[in-house]
Every structure is written in structure tokens, then in C-alpha cells.
Amino acid sequence: MKTLRQLFFFVISVLIYIPAVNGQTFNWTVADVINQERASSLQFSPDGNLLVWIKSKPNKEKDRSESDLYLTRFDVKEDGKYKTIQLTRGKESDFSPLFSKDGETIYFLSSREKGKKLWAMSVYGGEPYEIHEFETGISDIQWLEDKKLAFKSNEGKTLYEQKLEEEEDNTIVVEDTAHFKPSRIYSFDLKKKTISRLTDNKYPVGEYTVSENGKWLISSHIMSPDYRADANPKPNYYLWNLEHETKKEILKMGFQTPGNFKFTDDNEGFYFVSVKSSDPQWNGAGISMLHYYDINEEKAQKVPIDWNWGLGSGFDVFGNDVMVGLANGATTKLAYLQKDGNEWDKKPVDAGKMNQHITITAVGHEHKKLVSVYSTASTPPQYHLSDLNIKRRKVSISEGTEVIALNEYLDKKPKAKSEVISWTGAKGDEVTGILFYPEDYEEGRQYPLIVSIHGGPSGVDTDRWSDSWAYFPNIYSQKGAFVLNPNYHGSSNHGQEFVESIKGHYYEFEIPDIIAGIDMLEEKGMIDRDSLGVKGWSNGAILTTMLTVQHPNLFKAAAPGAGDVNWTSDYGTCAFGVSFDQSYFGGAPWDNTNGKIFNETYIQKSPLFEMEKVKTPTIIFHGSKDRAVPRDQGWEYYRALQQIGKAPVRFLWFPNQPHGLRKITHQTRKMEEEIRWFDKHLFGTYEGKNEAFKKESPLAELLKKDKAQIKNGQYGVVINDILIPETVSIKEDSIAIGRFEVTNAQYAEFDKDHSFPSVRANYPVVDISPEKAQQYLGWLSKKTGDAYRLPNSSEAATLHKKAKKVAAKENTLNFWAGYNITIDEVSEFRSKLENLDHTMLKEVGTYPGVSIGEAHIYDLGGNVAEWYTAETDPQTYGYSAISFVDDRGEISSVPKQYSGFRVIKE
């Protein structure tokens, strides 16, 4: 039974490696996950007729993601869709688009020319043009007035910095409050090309927002170069009156990490979010609360969202009102809060079938139109132009019309069925998760399970599309496995008690939660408990590691990425180690309070000191410039397993990569390595790579050709006692194509009068009219019961394109000339052929073949040209032994004695 199960998993898993046909394949590949496009920075024009946005996509040549500006016109439709135009393209990324107040121009920033310039372009087209170069840089542009922009920058290099530069001193001073350099907010007059300083702060700007009328500006200021680590001192917050050039410090007390400031349209106040937690001194995890600051009354108040779990997906301002996404476990709920003085009337939002799966990305003209994004864990994001209808008792959002189409290549990919599930967790309360089903799932059958754990720990897996290089459930579903994304205790979106439950109890509830989820699936008869894998990134890796420590016989494979194993060393080396460890462990490693020595706690909580228990084959990933979980945590992890020797271990670190991998090559390598690891240790389908074997070598070609079917030394397949052409499928459930051209021996089965020297049985049949070829195909179809035909025009064009790429290296006139013959010499050279008493043809398969999808076929680039059915008379594609080949023109007609044919089988 084990052997049969492994064979089944092998058949499923190899589907991932099927190559693309014409750029498409019905099966998931690593490239499909990596190459996803993403939309961001959506913004309506002032009149609501245009939408500018950023498309980000991987660029393989640059080995990173790049972004360009796109414009969608709501006043123009083509083929029933809103017209979208790509505005920028090139070697650099463009971002931060802003419409001018008249909607005629788009201003934007770019990485081109060191990223120090402001650019613009007309909405009617044309090239981008430079507005101004800023010596000290420019970022975060916002409107002040019709012709004035606000932006963030600094004051230039100090003498201290200049001297260090002259001395080429690249020493990094870890802490230097004396030289803690501020960034400030400035204005730029587009007409006069002048710059003015708006703020006089002494500390760097973190976030800032300008009111619609340009009178008010709110900014946050980071007070310490080590604020991420210490969470102290807290930032300062200032409200600036730009008309009177005054400022007032606000939000001094009672708010943890306030941010995401958004002014109302009446310019009398702004909304913002802050965190509610039990340990705000360490910026501890908690729930997000919505507040409103009244400028006239100079005070903030909590907005009554009437929801104990707080915000889940942020908020959007509609005039003076606000729409919020409420935390709802594995989903979110929208609510509309209509402002009336200092009170708000809460209305439910009805988005039809999109309920609990929708977010707002842009608000349009007069707040009646919006762009909404709908997705589920099994549905890639869909961008819709929706109508907002505010009624007395409720607010409705229409499904609308699609405005942005991304990743259309995913439309034909099989999406894993997914559902939100729940079970009883470690504290007797409900734990949720997303469960992805195996492809072609059959009820009553048991399947492998991969537990895929999110980071944070206050992250959350919601019922939204999230396939990425770190988490890719569709590939594992395709391999025949369940994938479970558990929202263990400590996850957000489930209320304050839930997210804070693991403070002082790290690992104590999360691990039992995950085990309970596995138990529940086993009790339902859905999974094979002997076929479990576990993986995760960041805190997902931390929990992966502890699961293999506490349950050493449970998992067959583990793939932790960027996870801690030693909390004593993490405290000082992690960028936010102090605040994180103080919050979750309750003190520093050296603290001794209330008779409790924290050093013992740190050791007890560190998997490093229990690595001798681990038996699970483990592959470890880290970025070398990771400051969230420093790479040396991976070294400690690897060295322990390597020295103990109870578990196979492999350790990869990616040079110059931060906590999240950015290079495409590194993202790809991580996925490929993880897949191979699970293939080997979980699915049992891995076939080791022969590192001495080059896939483009003569031996490789011989091995490919060796797969061709041969009977008594003749190429072909024997069916009903006749020799017929072998065909190979281009892709699953598609047409098949002849591996070789039809040979003399195969054709002679049909035409008993066809004679040829026995040594040429495997030569292509020639001097056959297209009518005779069609007669052969009709006979072949009748004899086999399958439908055979010649290629059609479209197929012939594809085959000819392939042929042109290899023709110079195959059996053409260029080969027989023995040098790089030119077209002017062809006529004279061919005159020599008149005296030739020998065929120029070669046996089929003499030269390396080419791949068309899954099919590897031969002789496209030479030997004989091949018949196809054209709209008028039959024509030939490809090249023959007497064809001259160059890239400046196409081939001339080929005589019948050098024309043959290849079969297509439906």
C-alpha cells in the first residue's frame, strides 16, 4: 500500500514540471507563483473619469520587481472593457502618482536618475518629462495647493558627513544621537520652481498628511535611532497650521503607535488608528482602534465602531464619514459610520456575494464611485468599479465592472478548493484556519497534510488570495496534499484576549492549537497522519521548529524560513528584540524579579537547547541581511542539527537579502529547494539530479531520441500489424504531433507500390503530392480509429517559427555549402547539384530536436519541407536540404522531391 501511495503522489507531483505551451500551461509552476502582477496606489482623477495606478511585476533580467504607471479611462470602452494604457516603461520603477488639480497631468516619482527628480506626463499621452531635480532627494509627495506640492526630504550633507565621505570611512556607528539626522517636510512651487521649508522639527519625520485645503499638516517624529528595538522614547506628533506657521504637539498620552492619519473633507479633523494592548510601553500586540481628532476642540475621541475585535482591514474616508473593515476572524466585515457632529451612525454594508471578501482601494468623485477588490483564498484579486449607495438603514456596494485585469495566465490554472474551518483550541475557545484541499479530492480518502504557519505572531490568515514565494498552497494541492493555515493563539483579527493570550505563555497555546487542528482533520478521516509536513516563515518558522522539538515523530519534513531558535541571542541582535522579547517574555534575559530568573525562561523557551530531540528532516532558509531574525539564528539551528546528527539538515542563506526575499532568483531557489525537500522526505517522489549530466549535451539528446519507438529497426508504432508514425502529445488533453516526418517504411504500409532502398527505410518519404498525403491520412485514420490530419495554417506558423531558430544547424543548403553562403551564391551553388547522383536527405532524427510543449520532435529545421493545409492550395513550412536560410527573408517554394509531411493526431 505504501508503494501504491507513493506512486500516486509521484504522478500528481510531476505535473508541476510540465512546460508551457505558447506561454500557457494548465498546471502550477514555480514561475506562475513568482510572476504574479500586483496593483497599488490607485487614484481617481478629480472628475472621476480616469484611474491612475501602479502595476508591479517581476523582471527576470533585473532580478527584482519593477513598477510602471497605468491609466484606465472610464469614458472609453474596448470590447466591453474600460480602456487601459501603459504610461511608463523602461529600466527603472515609477511610483507615487498624483493627478494635477485639473486632471490634465500626472506627477510621479521614479527610481530613474538616482530617484531625485519629480516627473510628469500628460493624461493624453507622450513621454514623461522632468519637472525638477532635488539635490537632497524627494519622497512622499502630496498636494498643498493647486500648484504646490509637499514632499519629504532632508537638508543635505553636514560637514561631519562630508569629511567621513572624503575619508572613505564606511564604519557604521550603531548609535549616535548627536548626529541623528532629521528629515523634514518642504513645499515645491510648480510654477516658480522654488522650495520652502514647512516644518522645523529636530527629529526625522515618520508619517505626515496634509488636509485637502492645504491649511493643516499632521506629522509624526521618531525620537530615537533605536526606536524599533526599544519602543522608547515614543514618537512626537504635531499638528501644523501652515497658514499661521504654528505647530502644536498632540496625542501626547493614551495612544499606542497612532498612525494612518486621514483628514475629513471639511478640514476640521482627521481619523487615525492606534493599538490597544496591555503593554503599550513595549508597543505590544493588540487590536486596532479608530479615533477622530477634532481640530477646533483640540482633542481626540474614540469612534464607536461597536465591535469588540477592533479593525481588521483599516478604514477609508468618504467626505466626513468613514468606512471600516472590522476584524472578523478569518474574514472582515465592512461597516459605514456616518458622522453627525461628534456622533456616528453605524450602518451595515451589503456587498452582495462579495461580503466579507472585499476591500476598498480608491474612492472616487463625490464619493459615489469606488474601486473594490474581491478575492478569496481560491480566487485571485478582482478589481471592480463599484457604486456606493448610502441609504437610511444600510449602505450597499455594487459588484460593478472589472477595471483592472491582472495575471490572466492564472485563469486556466486549477485553484485549490479552500474553506474557513474552526476547531477547539488550547484554551477551550475557537481557533480558525484556512484549509486547502488536494486537487481531485475524493471524500473518504486520506491525503498528506502540510501545515503552513503564518508569521507575526500577530499575523493572520484570512480568506483572501495570498499565494507567494513564501506560501504557495496551490502547488502542494496539485501534488495531492491538504494545506492548513492555522490562526493559532496570538494571531490578530480574533480580538484582544486572543492576540495577547501568548504573552508570558509563548509556545504554550500555539503548539497545542496546531496539533488540535491536525487531530480534528484526522478524526474526520481526511488526512494520513503518517504523511505530515510543516513549514513557515518568521514566526511560522519559529513554531515549525518547536513542533519538531515537541513532536519529534510526527512530521516527515520541515521547512522553516527566517526563524529564531535562541532567544538569549535574539534579544540583542534582532532590530526589535528588546520590545518583542519584553512583551512576550516579560523581561530581559538578565532580569531577576519576583524571584524569577528570566535567563532560565529564555533558555527554556529556546528550541536550541532541545535540538537533540529533533528527528524531522529540516531545510533552513535565511537572508544574510535580515535584522528581524538575524541569519546567525540559522547558523545556530543548522550547527545543532548537523552536530547531533539525528535529522537530515540543509541550510541556505541568501546574500544581501532582508527578512523578506526580494531577488527573483532567491525567491525561485527557495521555492524549488522547499518543493524538492518535501518531494524527497514527505511525498517520496524525488529523483536526485545527476550533477555530471548536462541537459544540452549530445548524450542528453541521444537519451531523448532513445525514447522514440522502434520496431525491427524502423521508427514507428505497430498497431493492427501495421507500422504507423509515433505521435507525442503537446500537452495534456490536446493534439499530438508526429515525432518524425512520415518515413518510407511507414508510407509503404499504405502504398504497396512505393519502393525505396532498404537502407532508407527511416528516411522521410518525398515526392508525395499533398493529395497523396491526404489519402494516406484518411487510410491511417480508418485503420487506427483515430483522427489524423495535416497541420493547419496556425499550427504551421508556430512550427515554422520553431524551425527558423534551428535551421542553420540542420540539413539545409547552408550545411552543404560548408561555409556561410550568401543568397547571391545560391544559384551558382545549386548548379552543382544537377550533377549529384546521391540524395541530400538524411535519416529522420539525425539532428537534435526541438520542444513544442511536452512534445520533443525532430527535423523541423531541415531535411524536407512539410505540407500543411492552407486556406487556398496546400503549402509547405519548415526547410529542406536545398533551402537557403537567413534571417533577412523567407524561403522560396520547395520542389516535391524535397517535400514530405508530418501527422497531427486529434
Side-chain angles (χ1 to χ4, degrees):
M1 288 299 294
K2 184 176 181 182
T3 302
L4 289 174
R5 186 165 62 244
Q6 288 179 337
L7 177 62
F8 169 74
F9 293 145
F10 174 74
V11 171
I12 294 295
S13 66
V14 294
L15 294 178
I16 192 172
Y17 300 108
I18 293 177
V21 182
N22 295 329
Q24 293 184 352
T25 174
F26 293 101
N27 297 281
W28 282 90
T29 66
V30 168
D32 291 333
V33 177
I34 298 292
N35 290 336
Q36 292 179 85
E37 304 166 331
R38 290 170 172 80
S40 61
S41 303
L42 283 71
Q43 184 183 124
F44 281 90
S45 60
D47 63 4
N49 289 329
L50 306 174
L51 183 77
V52 66
W53 52 283
I54 298 294
K55 179 193 284 188
S56 300
K57 58 185 178 182
N59 185 309
K60 192 172 182 179
E61 291 182 5
K62 300 175 193 172
D63 202 13
R64 59 175 171 79
S65 180
E66 65 176 14
S67 59
D68 292 297
L69 271 63
Y70 284 72
L71 184 71
T72 298
R73 306 191 67 97
F74 300 133
D75 54 352
V76 179
K77 278 192 172 183
E78 290 184 352
D79 300 325
K81 296 182 178 181
Y82 294 116
K83 185 176 180 62
T84 293
I85 308 162
Q86 183 174 352
L87 297 179
T88 65
R89 50 174 51 86
K91 296 181 179 180
E92 300 297 332
S93 288
D94 302 311
F95 48 90
S96 299
L98 278 181
F99 277 107
S100 59
K101 295 292 186 176
D102 60 10
E104 300 274 312
T105 304
I106 298 172
Y107 295 94
F108 64 96
L109 303 180
S110 175
S111 64
R112 61 183 85 186
E113 299 189 37
K114 299 182 179 181
K116 292 186 175 183
K117 294 182 178 181
L118 175 67
W119 300 82
M121 67 183 309
S122 169
V123 297
Y124 303 107
E127 291 294 319
Y129 53 92
E130 176 187 331
I131 297 294
H132 189 73
E133 181 172 0
F134 299 78
E135 291 184 8
T136 57
I138 178 173
S139 65
D140 200 354
I141 55 175
Q142 301 180 33
W143 281 112
L144 274 174
E145 302 171 12
D146 286 0
K147 295 295 181 181
K148 279 188 178 181
L149 284 171
F151 68 96
K152 185 162 69 172
S153 188
N154 58 60
E155 302 289 347
K157 293 177 182 176
T158 63
L159 179 61
Y160 172 79
E161 291 173 314
Q162 293 177 42
K163 286 183 176 180
L164 287 177
E165 204 170 72
E166 290 171 2
E167 295 169 1
E168 297 183 352
D169 187 348
N170 63 353
T171 302
I172 295 175
V173 180
V174 174
E175 184 166 336
D176 185 2
T177 54
H179 298 96
F180 191 34
K181 190 172 183 176
S183 55
R184 296 192 173 101
I185 311 302
Y186 305 80
S187 71
F188 176 70
D189 191 306
L190 290 163
K191 187 175 181 180
K192 298 178 182 178
K193 305 292 177 68
T194 56
I195 298 172
S196 301
R197 187 181 296 104
L198 294 179
T199 65
D200 60 356
N201 48 286
K202 295 181 179 180
Y203 296 95
V205 174
E207 175 187 357
Y208 86 97
T209 305
V210 180
S211 64
E212 180 68 23
N213 62 3
K215 178 179 179 180
W216 303 102
L217 183 155
I218 181 171
S219 60
S220 64
H221 302 271
I222 308 303
M223 306 297 289
S224 165
D226 277 329
Y227 172 67
R228 284 190 70 202
D230 301 338
N232 288 295
K234 304 299 183 187
N236 286 342
Y237 301 86
Y238 288 96
L239 181 65
W240 307 75
N241 187 322
L242 300 179
E243 285 185 358
H244 300 155
E245 298 184 353
T246 60
K247 67 179 178 182
K248 176 181 178 63
E249 186 175 359
I250 60 174
L251 309 180
K252 294 181 182 181
M253 299 289 291
F255 301 98
Q256 179 182 326
T257 59
N260 197 18
F261 308 107
K262 295 180 182 179
F263 281 92
T264 52
D265 277 8
D266 62 11
N267 303 292
E268 293 183 0
F270 58 84
Y271 291 97
F272 67 96
V273 171
S274 74
V275 174
K276 179 184 177 185
S277 79
S278 61
D279 53 354
Q281 69 274 28
W282 300 117
N283 291 344
I287 60 174
S288 295
M289 308 298 293
L290 182 66
H291 305 270
Y292 175 77
Y293 185 90
D294 189 301
I295 294 176
N296 294 321
E297 296 184 6
E298 298 185 350
K299 68 176 184 179
Q301 66 180 107
K302 186 167 70 171
V303 177
I305 61 174
D306 190 27
W307 192 255
N308 290 335
W309 286 6
L311 300 184
S313 60
F315 68 93
D316 293 275
V317 175
F318 290 76
N320 298 327
D321 305 335
V322 61
M323 188 181 295
V324 295
L326 302 173
N328 193 44
T331 63
T332 56
K333 290 178 61 175
L334 291 180
Y336 192 89
L337 297 161
Q338 197 165 32
K339 189 175 186 296
D340 182 11
N342 289 328
E343 296 181 350
W344 284 264
D345 180 21
K346 181 181 177 182
K347 303 175 186 289
V349 175
D350 180 10
K353 73 172 188 178
M354 300 187 296
N355 273 344
Q356 299 190 24
H357 296 95
I358 183 177
T359 55
I360 310 303
T361 60
V363 179
H365 182 58
E366 296 181 350
H367 315 114
K368 295 179 180 179
K369 295 280 187 181
L370 53 85
V371 176
S372 61
V373 183
Y374 168 79
S375 82
T376 71
S378 300
T379 309
Q382 300 172 357
Y383 293 78
H384 296 259
L385 178 65
S386 303
D387 295 312
L388 181 69
N389 189 3
I390 304 173
K391 298 179 180 178
R392 182 178 178 183
R393 293 188 176 181
K394 73 173 184 177
V395 173
S396 62
I397 297 175
S398 69
E399 183 176 344
T401 308
E402 186 177 47
V403 292
I404 295 175
L406 299 177
N407 305 311
E408 292 178 289
Y409 71 95
L410 295 182
D411 292 345
K412 294 183 178 180
K413 303 290 179 184
K415 314 300 189 303
K417 173 191 171 183
S418 64
E419 65 176 335
V420 177
I421 64 171
S422 61
W423 62 93
T424 301
K427 300 192 71 179
D429 49 2
E430 183 181 71
V431 171
T432 69
I434 310 296
L435 181 67
F436 296 88
Y437 280 69
E439 192 174 286
D440 300 326
Y441 168 72
E442 296 178 14
E443 189 173 354
R445 186 174 191 167
Q446 293 181 339
Y447 294 83
L449 169 69
I450 295 177
V451 181
S452 184
I453 310 173
H454 70 69
S458 58
V460 64
D461 282 306
T462 59
D463 193 6
R464 298 250 172 93
W465 183 262
S466 59
D467 269 38
S468 70
W469 58 266
Y471 300 94
F472 36 94
N474 280 290
I475 284 181
Y476 288 123
S477 166
Q478 193 168 261
K479 287 177 171 290
F482 279 105
V483 177
L484 174 63
N485 296 356
N487 287 318
Y488 50 85
H489 276 87
S491 301
S492 63
N493 233 48
H494 292 71
Q496 185 174 358
E497 181 179 349
F498 195 88
V499 75
E500 293 203 73
S501 61
I502 64 171
K503 293 179 180 179
H505 299 278
Y506 211 78
Y507 298 120
E508 295 171 25
F509 304 136
E510 310 99 290
I511 301 299
D513 285 344
I514 295 169
I515 297 300
I518 295 172
D519 291 342
M520 180 265 296
L521 294 175
E522 184 188 20
E523 289 168 6
K524 290 186 175 183
M526 301 170 73
I527 64 168
D528 178 359
R529 199 177 182 91
D530 292 330
S531 299
L532 302 184
V534 61
K535 58 168 284 187
W537 197 265
S538 192
N539 197 73
I542 292 168
L543 295 181
T544 293
T545 303
M546 188 57 86
L547 280 163
T548 66
V549 169
Q550 294 187 2
H551 300 272
N553 298 310
L554 187 58
F555 299 98
K556 296 294 183 289
D564 286 283
V565 294
N566 185 354
W567 293 111
T568 58
S569 55
D570 170 85
Y571 186 93
T573 56
C574 170
F576 51 85
V578 175
S579 59
F580 184 94
D581 295 354
Q582 292 275 8
S583 178
Y584 285 104
F585 297 146
W590 51 82
D591 282 346
N592 184 355
T593 56
N594 299 323
K596 186 176 182 180
I597 302 174
F598 277 97
N599 187 38
E600 293 178 359
T601 301
Y602 273 71
I603 291 175
Q604 290 168 359
K605 295 290 184 181
S606 296
L608 179 69
F609 303 106
E610 297 183 85
M611 285 294 172
E612 76 282 357
K613 297 178 181 177
V614 176
K615 299 177 183 177
T616 307
T618 303
I619 186 168
I620 303 164
F621 303 104
H622 268 276
S624 71
K625 288 195 174 180
D626 190 344
R627 287 301 317 280
V629 181
R631 181 199 61 187
D632 288 355
Q633 291 287 325
W635 273 117
E636 293 186 55
Y637 195 174
Y638 166 74
R639 186 61 68 215
L641 292 183
Q642 182 258 343
Q643 285 294 301
I644 294 166
K646 290 184 180 179
V649 61
R650 182 169 171 82
F651 177 31
L652 289 85
W653 58 267
F654 304 100
N656 299 313
Q657 293 298 281
H659 194 54
L661 305 182
R662 293 177 182 172
K663 285 192 173 184
I664 297 169
T665 50
H666 292 155
Q667 294 174 352
T668 302
R669 182 68 180 274
K670 183 267 177 186
M671 288 186 66
E672 292 174 342
E673 290 275 356
E674 180 186 303
I675 290 168
R676 280 195 289 267
W677 195 258
F678 281 103
D679 281 347
K680 181 176 182 179
H681 297 286
L682 176 60
F683 299 115
T685 59
Y686 174 70
E687 293 185 7
K689 183 178 179 182
N690 188 328
E691 297 181 355
F693 177 69
K694 184 179 180 182
K695 64 180 181 180
E696 298 86 9
S697 65
L699 174 60
E701 183 57 40
L702 182 61
L703 290 171
K704 288 179 184 176
K705 189 176 174 184
D706 199 44
K707 294 179 181 179
Q709 299 191 41
I710 301 175
K711 182 70 173 179
N712 297 326
Q714 297 176 349
Y715 287 118
V717 182
V718 176
I719 295 181
N720 297 333
D721 295 325
I722 60 173
L723 183 71
I724 69 169
E726 178 195 1
T727 58
V728 283
S729 296
I730 290 179
K731 61 183 178 181
E732 189 178 8
D733 299 326
S734 75
I735 62 170
I737 188 169
R739 189 186 291 277
F740 306 107
E741 295 145 339
V742 176
T743 66
N744 283 315
Q746 294 163 1
Y747 186 79
E749 297 274 13
F750 157 70
D751 185 354
K752 301 302 181 181
D753 295 328
H754 179 68
S755 62
F756 54 90
S758 60
V759 294
R760 295 183 186 171
N762 285 329
Y763 279 52
V765 63
V766 294
D767 204 13
I768 300 297
S769 68
E771 291 77 19
K772 275 287 190 182
Q774 293 283 19
Q775 290 173 18
Y776 170 80
L777 292 166
W779 169 84
L780 185 61
S781 298
K782 185 177 180 179
K783 286 289 186 181
T784 63
D786 294 315
Y788 287 88
R789 59 176 174 82
L790 292 174
N792 58 35
S793 298
S794 174
E795 293 160 347
T798 299
L799 292 167
H800 184 71
K801 186 181 293 185
K802 283 279 188 180
K804 194 166 187 177
K805 292 181 178 180
V806 297
K809 298 178 181 179
E810 293 197 10
N811 186 20
T812 62
L813 201 64
N814 306 53
F815 164 76
W816 290 107
Y819 66 96
N820 294 330
I821 191 171
T822 67
I823 193 170
D824 299 312
E825 299 169 291
V826 169
S827 178
E828 184 177 358
F829 182 80
R830 279 180 174 162
S831 66
K832 288 288 187 181
L833 303 181
E834 297 173 1
N835 302 320
L836 183 66
D837 188 23
H838 193 281
T839 182
M840 296 173 68
L841 298 177
K842 294 180 180 291
E843 184 175 292
V844 296
T846 299
Y847 295 92
V850 297
S851 292
I852 307 287
E854 295 177 63
H856 195 74
I857 64 176
Y858 294 84
D859 305 306
L860 275 183
N863 226 16
V864 297
E866 301 171 10
W867 292 112
Y868 73 94
T869 53
E871 284 73 12
T872 54
D873 296 328
Q875 304 289 332
T876 59
Y877 65 89
Y879 300 86
S880 75
I882 63 168
S883 297
F884 167 71
V885 181
D886 75 354
D887 56 5
R888 301 183 182 184
E890 271 304 334
I891 59 174
S892 57
S893 61
V894 177
K896 280 202 309 178
Q897 60 267 35
Y898 283 99
S899 297
F901 65 103
R902 186 185 303 267
V903 303
I904 297 289
K905 184 174 77 170
E906 293 289 356

